[in-house]
């Protein structure tokens, strides 16, 4: 993990679309470079689905009874599926889409890119200091350029998205509250902004601190929808 974080700038320069997957409860990282190519390289059903889907779901279901197994499952799947070099080629929407496998709970916040190392290591230490708090793999870390969109998590800053996940094997809920709150605390501490389509606990007061243009957006929204026709329970919490 440290090798990737200490040479992050080199990785970002090496590939047009760079991201990496960290496997919690370990030092293991899978580095992913994504660039245009003319090569052809089919993928195999056995590893992608029979092992990467059905076996994983079964083992995570077992771990709901013995949570300490999660760290070994993370390490096992890194060794099984991610420890050797793999090359996949397909049209862009198949490459950029992430295989979410089965049902899951997800949080995804964007922090200033210069906070990447500090925030990820803080999350790692938090897991190490709380043995009862387990985290499924992977923590996906990806990067985006800053923009001028008022409610973009990347508004006026180059950003790192840090995505955490807790799977729901066979639809079963898993304990996640401590992990969720710990992660959110770290993201807020480092100037994070939540992904609008993922879980978060932010209210209007939180978002006004995170987005300099938030009042401008609210003013425009209220003019265009004064009766609140396009609001729902989630948006009422966000805008009021």
């Amino acid at each position: 993990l440290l090798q990737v974080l200490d040479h992050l700038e080199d990785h970002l320069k090496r590939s047009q679309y760079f991201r990496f997957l960290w496997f919690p409860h370990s030092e293991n990282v899978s580095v992913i470079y994504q660039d245009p190519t003319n090569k052809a390289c089919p993928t195999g059903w056995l590893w992608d689905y029979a092992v990467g889907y059905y076996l994983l779901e079964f083992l995570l279901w077992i771990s709901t009874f013995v949570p300490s197994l999660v760290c070994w499952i993370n390490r096992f799947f890194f060794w099984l599926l991610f420890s050797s070099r793999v090359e996949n080629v397909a049209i862009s929407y198949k490459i950029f889409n992430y295989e979410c496998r089965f049902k899951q709970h997800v949080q995804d916040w964007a922090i200033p890119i210069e906070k990447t190392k500090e925030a990820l290591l803080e999350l790692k230490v938090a897991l190490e200091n709380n043995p009862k708090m387990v985290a499924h793999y992977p923590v996906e870390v990806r990067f985006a350029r800053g923009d001028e969109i008022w409610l973009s998590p990347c508004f006026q800053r180059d950003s790192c998205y840090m995505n955490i996940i807790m799977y729901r094997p066979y639809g079963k809920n898993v304990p996640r509250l401590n992990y969720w709150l710990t992660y959110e605390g770290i993201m807020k501490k480092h100037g994070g902004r939540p992904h609008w389509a993922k879980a978060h606990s932010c209210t209007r007061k939180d978002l006004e601190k995170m987005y300099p243009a938030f009042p401008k957006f609210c003013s425009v929204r209220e003019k265009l929808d004064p009766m609140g026709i396009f609001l729902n329970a989630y948006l009422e919490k966000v805008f009021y």
Side-chain angles (χ1 to χ4, degrees):
L1 178 60
L2 272 176
Q3 287 182 340
V4 174
L5 292 173
D6 286 341
H7 298 90
L8 187 58
E9 194 63 36
D10 294 334
H11 287 292
L12 288 167
K13 291 177 180 177
R14 180 172 173 178
S15 176
Q16 189 170 350
Y17 301 101
F18 164 71
R19 64 188 175 103
F20 67 90
L21 309 178
W22 172 55
F23 289 67
H25 312 293
S26 78
E27 298 290 337
N28 297 329
V29 170
S30 176
V31 171
I32 301 168
Y33 300 120
Q34 295 171 309
D35 294 286
T37 182
N38 293 319
K39 293 182 180 179
C41 181
T43 58
W45 180 90
L46 175 66
W47 293 104
D48 289 348
Y49 290 95
V51 174
Y53 185 121
Y54 297 108
L55 178 60
L56 175 62
E57 186 171 26
F58 176 69
L59 291 178
L60 288 179
W61 177 77
I62 292 176
S63 76
T64 62
F65 305 100
V66 188
S68 59
L69 290 177
V70 169
C71 63
W72 299 106
I73 292 170
N74 286 0
R75 294 171 185 175
F76 172 66
F77 272 87
F78 174 80
W79 171 79
L80 194 64
L81 298 177
F82 296 91
S83 59
S84 53
R85 188 176 185 274
V86 175
E87 194 174 82
N88 291 327
V89 176
I91 56 178
S92 59
Y93 78 86
K94 292 183 178 180
I95 291 294
F96 288 118
N97 279 350
Y98 185 73
E99 175 53 70
C100 293
R101 297 180 172 88
F102 39 93
K103 291 181 179 180
Q104 57 196 241
H105 298 286
V106 179
Q107 282 218 54
D108 192 13
W109 287 53
I111 57 175
I113 196 169
E114 63 271 15
K115 297 290 186 178
T116 302
K117 179 179 179 180
E118 187 177 354
L120 188 54
L121 290 181
E122 194 169 331
L123 181 62
K124 181 174 182 290
V125 169
L127 289 170
E128 291 171 350
N129 291 339
N130 296 275
K132 292 183 179 180
M133 185 167 66
V134 298
H136 293 165
Y137 88 83
V139 172
E140 182 197 20
V141 183
R142 63 193 191 282
F143 305 90
R145 294 287 187 190
D147 57 45
E148 293 298 325
I149 302 169
W150 286 355
L151 291 194
S152 165
C154 302
F155 179 66
Q156 295 185 340
R157 69 187 193 194
D158 293 344
S159 299
C160 162
Y161 280 91
M162 201 170 293
N163 180 97
I164 66 169
I165 188 171
M166 289 296 285
Y167 287 111
R168 297 178 56 203
Y170 306 121
K172 183 176 181 180
N173 274 318
V174 293
R176 68 185 190 283
L177 183 60
N178 289 341
Y179 183 33
W180 249 227
L181 294 177
T182 298
Y183 166 83
E184 274 203 351
I186 293 171
M187 294 296 101
K188 288 179 179 178
K189 175 183 174 181
H190 295 289
R193 296 168 179 163
H195 190 304
W196 289 105
K198 304 291 174 65
H200 66 83
S201 63
C202 296
T203 62
R204 176 164 178 160
K205 287 185 177 180
D206 297 314
L207 297 167
E208 283 176 343
K209 297 175 183 176
M210 297 171 179
Y211 292 91
F214 195 81
K216 293 181 181 179
F217 180 89
C218 289
S219 177
V220 173
R221 194 208 66 77
E222 289 165 7
K223 288 178 182 178
L224 295 176
D225 185 23
M227 304 300 292
I229 293 174
F230 293 101
L231 291 176
N232 56 27
Y234 166 71
L235 293 177
E236 286 175 358
K237 183 185 77 169
V238 167
F239 294 123
Y240 288 99

